[in-house]
Amino acid sequence: MKVFSKIMFTAAIAAAALGLVSCEKKQVLKLYSWTYYTPTDVVKAFEEEYGCKVIVTEYDSNETMFNKLVNGGSKSFDIVVPSQDYVSIMMAKGMLQPIVQEKFTNRDKINPNLISKISYDPEMNYAVPYYFGAAGICVNKKKVTGDYERTWNIFADSQFKNHASMMDDYREVIGDALTYKGYSVCTKNDDELKSAVDLIKTSWLPNIVKFDAEGFGKDFARGDLWLCQGYAEVIYGEVPEEEWDSTIDFFIPENGGPSYLDSMCILKDSKNAELATEFINFIHRPENYAKFLDFFRFPCYVNLEAEQYMTTQPMYPASIMDKCELKNDLGDYLENYYNLWEKLRISN
């Protein structure tokens, strides 16, 4: 028995050692993405299929993400999910590595209408679309009984005075005014830009109680705001589901507005670029992408084949996104937007 025990003990030690080696060899994929942007069940499914571990680190803005990467954090992650303007910046700075197209077998699932909007990387060599979204307009139906204009100029309607807010985001607000005036949200024309800002100052500002990009959902749910500009998921996330139909009228105007595109990119210093490519491709399996859409009740626009697997009703129709324009990088001209915005806010 002593000999048997010794053999078993030795075997147990060997097994433990093998297990340790196995754990040490297990690949780790490090994802740096927006807060609450990657459904846990999709991550777990990837881990199980590829026998790896996915570590998700979150950020709350492109600026936070970018500053962390340029200040020594680029070697700490494999995949990052920047918005369109930061993709352009990161490509120009050589911070990204090309995606092996042969491994990206689901590239044919990406909506051609979306690809036509991606001027900075139309071949998806460095950035694969994750989500294409836009802020819209939300009216509290319990507070407003009269008619209202279903355009960005709704903010000129005096019935919303002292009960309206817009986002504290100058590309968004100025972009709304530019769209309403029939201009590009990326214009570099001084006269067009001034015309849009004058519209905000003279017609919209008198009715706006504040610019707010964080608390508008709670204010709307409490009934303090009758009109707000913002993201649908924020509004729907604050209003109880049983009150959605009776309270929320969310829409994006027919002529569109400014939009954003978050894309999955592989960092130049990634230690697991091959596994990162597999993850990107895994996300775009239609059945997996549908889980992401269901999680947020997002419309199906990026990966069209995913719609057949969805189980929820989107917060707004995907078709309106055809009219929306990306807020692309403006380079040095962006300072003109910022300076006009600061003067506008001071006058408020």
Side-chain angles (χ1 to χ4, degrees):
M1 288 297 294
K2 286 183 178 180
V3 173
F4 179 75
S5 297
K6 185 175 182 180
I7 292 173
M8 292 300 293
F9 178 75
T10 302
I13 293 295
L18 284 172
L20 181 60
V21 170
S22 176
C23 288
E24 289 177 344
K25 288 186 177 180
K26 195 172 189 178
Q27 283 188 297
V28 176
L29 182 70
K30 296 181 179 180
L31 172 64
Y32 194 29
S33 186
W34 296 84
T35 305
Y36 305 126
Y37 214 30
T38 314
T40 303
D41 57 346
V42 176
V43 170
K44 288 183 177 179
F46 180 79
E47 289 177 327
E48 291 175 4
E49 181 169 332
Y50 286 86
C52 66
K53 175 67 177 175
V54 178
I55 297 176
V56 181
T57 303
E58 300 176 335
Y59 54 83
D60 59 3
S61 71
N62 282 293
E63 291 77 14
T64 298
M65 172 274 297
F66 186 75
N67 288 335
K68 185 176 183 69
L69 294 181
V70 297
N71 287 295
S74 62
K75 295 182 179 180
S76 302
F77 306 104
D78 299 297
I79 298 175
V80 68
V81 192
S83 300
Q84 67 288 335
D85 47 349
Y86 275 81
V87 171
S88 297
I89 294 169
M90 294 170 74
M91 286 173 59
K93 289 185 174 293
M95 298 171 66
L96 308 176
Q97 64 173 279
I99 293 166
V100 179
Q101 297 298 314
E102 292 76 15
K103 294 286 187 179
F104 181 30
T105 58
N106 287 320
R107 66 173 291 132
D108 63 325
K109 307 296 191 298
I110 307 300
N111 185 352
N113 287 349
L114 174 59
I115 294 175
S116 68
K117 298 176 183 289
I118 310 174
S119 59
Y120 52 87
D121 188 23
E123 298 300 321
M124 297 184 288
N125 290 322
Y126 292 91
V128 173
Y130 184 60
Y131 183 66
F132 179 56
I137 296 166
C138 198
V139 176
N140 190 323
K141 294 193 291 186
K142 290 183 177 179
K143 298 292 185 179
V144 182
T145 56
D147 294 332
Y148 43 85
E149 188 175 349
R150 300 181 74 81
T151 74
W152 291 113
N153 202 45
I154 189 175
F155 290 96
D157 191 334
S158 61
Q159 70 175 309
F160 298 105
K161 186 176 179 63
N162 296 326
H163 294 285
S165 79
M166 297 191 78
M167 296 175 68
D168 191 7
D169 183 323
Y170 60 96
R171 287 298 302 273
E172 283 289 337
V173 177
I174 295 176
D176 296 340
L178 286 167
T179 300
Y180 179 73
K181 301 281 284 187
Y183 306 138
S184 167
V185 302
C186 301
T187 187
K188 292 184 179 181
N189 182 296
D190 291 346
D191 291 336
E192 293 177 354
L193 183 58
K194 183 179 182 300
S195 176
V197 172
D198 285 345
L199 172 67
I200 299 169
K201 183 176 181 179
T202 60
S203 299
W204 298 1
L205 204 56
N207 298 319
I208 295 173
V209 68
K210 62 179 175 178
F211 292 111
D212 175 24
E214 297 180 358
F216 64 87
K218 288 182 170 57
D219 288 342
F220 184 92
R222 282 196 302 265
D224 296 337
L225 291 178
W226 303 353
L227 168 69
C228 66
Q229 174 220 21
Y231 298 113
E233 58 269 27
V234 176
I235 300 292
Y236 281 85
E238 294 293 343
V239 176
E241 187 169 354
E242 63 271 17
E243 297 180 21
W244 286 357
D245 290 339
S246 62
T247 305
I248 300 173
D249 179 16
F250 180 89
F251 60 94
I252 295 173
E254 287 188 6
N255 59 338
S259 60
Y260 66 90
L261 174 61
D262 297 327
S263 296
M264 295 177 285
C265 305
I266 302 175
L267 289 165
K268 182 180 180 181
D269 296 324
S270 168
K271 297 180 178 65
N272 285 297
E274 186 173 342
L275 186 62
T277 305
E278 295 290 0
F279 181 83
I280 291 171
N281 200 51
F282 183 84
I283 289 292
H284 276 298
R285 288 183 193 171
E287 61 272 25
N288 292 335
Y289 194 75
K291 293 178 181 177
F292 162 66
L293 298 176
D294 282 338
F295 186 80
F296 291 103
R297 292 181 182 264
F298 282 155
C300 185
Y301 189 84
V302 173
N303 183 323
L304 298 180
E305 290 188 28
E307 187 171 15
Q308 61 187 305
Y309 298 99
M310 292 179 66
T311 60
T312 61
Q313 181 68 31
M315 294 174 290
Y316 53 94
S319 57
I320 192 62
M321 297 305 297
D322 280 333
K323 298 289 186 67
C324 293
E325 182 184 0
L326 285 173
K327 298 173 291 183
N328 287 325
D329 178 31
L330 297 174
D332 293 339
Y333 194 82
L334 183 62
E335 187 174 352
N336 293 309
Y337 281 69
Y338 179 76
N339 289 337
L340 287 171
W341 174 254
E342 284 301 294
K343 292 178 180 177
L344 188 68
R345 295 200 70 215
I346 290 172
S347 66
N348 186 22

